[in-house]
Amino acid sequence: MSRYIRLLNLFMLKGSAALKAFSVTLMLSLMVGCSSTNPVYHNYTLVAAPASEEGKVHTALPATLGVFPVNVSGWLDKKNITWSDGGVRLKTFDNDHWGEPLPDLLTQSMVQNLRRQVRAQSWVSSGPWVRDKRPEVVAFIDVQSMSVVKHQLRVNVAWSLEGQDSKIIARKEKVYALLLDNSDSVQASVQTLSRVWGMVAKDMIQALPAAPSKAQKTAS
């Protein structure tokens, strides 16, 4: 590009007015051509999934609930959005990026999803915490893979809920899957991931121990 500009400047110094006008037009067209080749980058974030009426909580919720920083597989922890094909092949989108590191996005999105699920019945925060500020129940989440297979987004997640003294309350490993509205659209895939993340939050809340009945309270 700079070489063309130097040559055009040389012609303009030595040439006629008509040649100068032609040179200016050519230079502008070259500049437009160069700028049009610059790639357009898109940054994406996650949003909390809406909590359905079916998701009403009938459990004894802890006063405080925490989300430890989410762990993701190394090949997912990239700036560029990356999925697998369900096997060993990966698809990386050069111009589509996560707005923040993926573990941070997943952690904060899970906090938002849990807050919607518990409907202010307990306070949800993200870790790590100092020892005396540790919530009553902490969620540990490991995202092992994300793939797009047969127009489905599939997220393999292992999670556990730990109470005081690291006592395991519940744990599960599951592939959460939802159909994509458009499997060729990165935006549609990210929106679907937000909904899948809401499913994980709902699963964890439902895994908390049920509140004791009135008969059980009386007996105790």
Side-chain angles (χ1 to χ4, degrees), residues 184-206:
D184 295 325
S185 167
V186 175
Q187 182 172 340
S189 299
V190 174
Q191 290 171 338
T192 303
L193 175 59
S194 293
R195 291 163 52 206
V196 167
W197 213 227
M199 294 167 59
V200 179
K202 182 178 178 180
D203 247 13
M204 290 195 294
I205 292 299
Q206 291 181 340

Side-chain angles (χ1 to χ4, degrees), residues 64-68 107 111 114-115 123-127 129 133 135:
T64 54
L65 182 61
V67 180
F68 199 77
T107 301
V111 168
L114 289 174
R115 285 178 179 171
W123 177 249
V124 186
S125 63
S126 60
W129 311 267
K133 299 296 183 182

Side-chain angles (χ1 to χ4, degrees), residues 65-71 110 114 137-144 155-162 168-176 196-209:
L65 182 61
V67 180
F68 199 77
V70 174
N71 182 59
M110 182 54 68
L114 289 174
V137 176
V138 176
F140 293 86
I141 309 170
D142 184 11
V143 178
Q144 300 172 346
V155 185
N156 190 344
V157 183
W159 58 260
S160 65
L161 299 176
E162 293 187 9
I168 300 295
I169 297 172
R171 60 170 43 145
K172 178 182 286 189
E173 181 175 353
K174 178 179 176 180
V175 176
Y176 295 85
V196 167
W197 213 227
M199 294 167 59
V200 179
K202 182 178 178 180
D203 247 13
M204 290 195 294
I205 292 299
Q206 291 181 340
L208 289 170

Side-chain angles (χ1 to χ4, degrees), residues 12 28 39 78 82 108 120 124 136 144 146 152-153 159 177 180 197-198 202 215:
M12 290 178 68
L28 289 174
K78 299 178 182 297
T82 303
Q108 292 307 315
V124 186
E136 293 178 41
Q144 300 172 346
M146 294 184 190
Q152 274 191 334
L153 177 66
W159 58 260
L180 293 166
W197 213 227
K202 182 178 178 180

